[in-house]
Amino acid sequence: MKRIGVLTSGGDSPGMNAAIRAVVRKAIFHELEVYGISYGYQGLINGDIKKMELGSVGDIIHRGGTMLYTARCEEFKTLEGQQKGIEQLKKFGIEGLVVIGGDGSYRGAQKLTEHGFPTIGVPGTIDNDIPGTDFTIGFDTALNTVIDAIDKIRDTATSHERTYVIEVMGRHAGDLALWSGLADGAETIVVPEADYDMEEIIGRLKRGQERGKKHSIIIVAEGAGTGFDFGDRIKEAMNLETRVTVLGHIQRGGSPTGFDRVLASRLGAKAVDLLLEGKAGVTVGIEKNELVYHDINEALAKKHTIDLEMYKLSQQLSI
Ligand code: F6P
C-alpha cells in the first residue's frame, strides 16, 4: 500500500483533529502518501480530495471540530453513491481509507469494505456508543463540557431553590447523561437504555424536599425524551419552580481534553498500522487501556448499552 485517504463524517467530536493528525503523521512516518477527503462521504463522491503533508496537520491537535469538515450524506447510503466514491478513490490512486466518525460513518465504511475497498473505522463521536471500544474520541471532552455547565447551573439552582432539568445529547445513548449525572450528583438520570418510572422520580424528589433539600438536578438524555416534557411533568406533579436547560451543540465543541487527544493519537496511528498489515473492514478501539480491533460487521451488530452497575450506583448515591 502506497497511498491512503482519511475523512471525518457524521457529527463532529473534539479530538477528531488529533486523530487526523495521527493518521497523517503515522502514514508519512511509514513513507505512505496521505490524502485528506473533505466533507465526509459527500466530499468523497464529489472528489474533494487533497494531498496532505506533515505541515497540513500542524497546530490542530488542540482544536475542536474537524479541519476536514464533516457532513451527513444520504447519497452514500445508495449503491450509486458508494460506486461514485470508489471511482474517486481509484482516480486518486488511494488504496486504503480511514474513516473517523460514529455509527452512521461506520455503515459507509462497512459498505466500502463489502465492495472490496479496505477501510478502517476510528470511533469519533461524543455519544460513546460505538461497540468495540470503551471510549470514543470526544466523549471525555463533551462530558467535561456538560459537567462545567451543570456546575454553573447548580450555583443558580441553589440560589433560587429551583429544580433544574438538563437535557444532554445522546440520540440513542445515555452515556453522557449517566457519566455527567454521576459526576455531578444529579438526583435523577434518565437514559434511553433503561426504563424510568415517573412516579418513582417524583417520589425521589418529594423525599428530598421532605429532608429539606431545596434544589434538584435532573439529567435527561435527548433519546429518552425532551427536557421540556420532563420539566412540565415535574412542575405539574409537585408544583415546583422548575427550569429547563437544553445544552445542545455546545457539547460538540471545544478544545479536546488530554484524554481525548491521547486516545485520538493512539487510535489514528493504530488504524494506519492495521491498513499496513493488510486489515480491512475493522474498527479500532480501546478496551481496558489496550488498543484492540474488531470486525466492523460484528461491532455494528452489537447493541450499545450503558454500564448498568454505574446506573445502579447513581441511583444508590442520590437517595
Ligand atoms: O451523534 C452525535 C450527536 O451529537 C447526537 O448526540 C445528536 O443527537 C446528534 O449528533 C445531533 O446531530 P446534528 O448535528 O445533525 O444536529
Side-chain angles (χ1 to χ4, degrees):
M1 189 165 290
K2 292 265 177 293
R3 190 176 286 179
I4 66 165
V6 56
L7 63 79
T8 49
S9 152
D12 62 350
S13 68
M16 278 186 164
N17 276 328
I20 296 167
R21 174 181 176 272
V23 172
V24 171
R25 297 254 166 114
K26 190 76 188 312
I28 295 176
F29 175 82
H30 289 297
E31 296 177 353
L32 295 173
E33 287 184 347
V34 202
Y35 279 71
I37 299 155
S38 296
Y39 304 103
Y41 293 115
Q42 194 58 58
L44 178 60
I45 291 173
N46 298 343
D48 202 339
I49 302 174
K50 281 188 196 71
K51 185 157 189 261
M52 298 184 87
E53 310 292 349
L54 285 177
S56 316
V57 289
D59 208 25
I60 63 164
I61 197 165
H62 62 303
R63 293 190 200 282
T66 158
M67 68 163 300
L68 287 176
Y69 306 94
T70 185
R72 299 192 196 273
C73 177
E74 285 303 311
E75 194 182 351
F76 203 73
K77 292 182 183 158
T78 67
L79 179 61
E80 207 192 332
Q82 292 152 20
Q83 281 165 345
K84 280 190 201 164
I86 290 176
E87 271 164 36
Q88 293 289 2
L89 289 164
K90 283 191 184 146
K91 189 169 129 195
F92 282 84
I94 297 169
E95 298 159 287
L97 181 67
V98 178
V99 169
I100 307 165
D103 55 352
S105 315
Y106 272 33
R107 285 183 212 288
Q110 186 183 35
K111 287 290 166 205
L112 285 172
T113 307
E114 271 172 35
H115 299 313
F117 195 87
T119 306
I120 310 279
V122 174
T125 164
I126 64 163
D127 290 351
N128 208 38
D129 61 346
I130 305 287
T133 187
D134 292 342
F135 296 104
T136 58
I137 298 164
F139 172 66
D140 185 61
T141 308
L143 170 64
N144 281 286
T145 301
V146 173
I147 290 172
D148 185 49
I150 299 175
D151 287 348
K152 289 184 171 118
I153 288 168
R154 189 181 273 286
D155 288 344
T156 177
T158 313
S159 307
H160 284 268
E161 300 188 345
R162 279 172 178 156
T163 295
Y164 261 90
V165 178
I166 300 163
E167 183 190 307
V168 302
M169 272 188 169
R171 205 172 0 211
H172 308 292
D175 286 49
L176 259 185
L178 174 57
W179 283 65
S180 62
L182 189 55
D184 246 297
E187 274 66 28
T188 295
I189 302 168
V190 191
V191 293
E193 296 91 341
D195 293 334
Y196 68 89
D197 177 355
M198 205 59 207
E199 295 293 304
E200 203 268 323
I201 293 176
I202 302 291
R204 185 185 291 259
L205 287 172
K206 283 197 174 141
R207 286 195 299 278
Q209 239 182 3
E210 280 153 22
R211 277 199 342 262
K213 223 168 196 278
K214 302 240 189 293
H215 65 267
S216 301
I217 304 276
I218 293 135
I219 306 201
V220 179
E222 64 174 333
T226 73
F228 283 102
D229 180 43
F230 276 89
D232 286 346
R233 284 152 85 184
I234 290 165
K235 203 168 167 181
E236 207 173 289
M238 297 190 62
N239 197 26
L240 263 185
E241 193 166 11
T242 307
R243 292 286 186 274
V244 178
T245 302
V246 179
L247 292 181
H249 289 78
I250 196 172
Q251 296 161 93
R252 287 238 294 260
S255 177
T257 57
F259 180 87
D260 273 329
R261 296 181 200 194
V262 172
L263 179 66
S265 301
R266 293 176 77 188
L267 294 182
K270 180 74 179 172
V272 175
D273 284 341
L274 291 173
L275 277 177
L276 283 171
E277 283 167 27
K279 300 278 186 312
V282 298
T283 163
V284 293
I286 188 163
E287 286 172 348
K288 301 188 173 75
N289 203 27
E290 292 280 332
L291 294 183
V292 293
Y293 65 90
H294 298 282
D295 184 287
I296 207 160
N297 296 314
E298 279 169 27
L300 281 172
K302 281 194 194 138
K303 205 172 152 9
H304 169 74
T305 54
I306 48 161
D307 183 332
L308 288 170
E309 282 305 313
M310 235 171 93
Y311 184 64
K312 250 189 260 162
L313 177 66
S314 75
Q315 290 179 318
Q316 289 164 357
L317 299 186
S318 62
I319 36 173

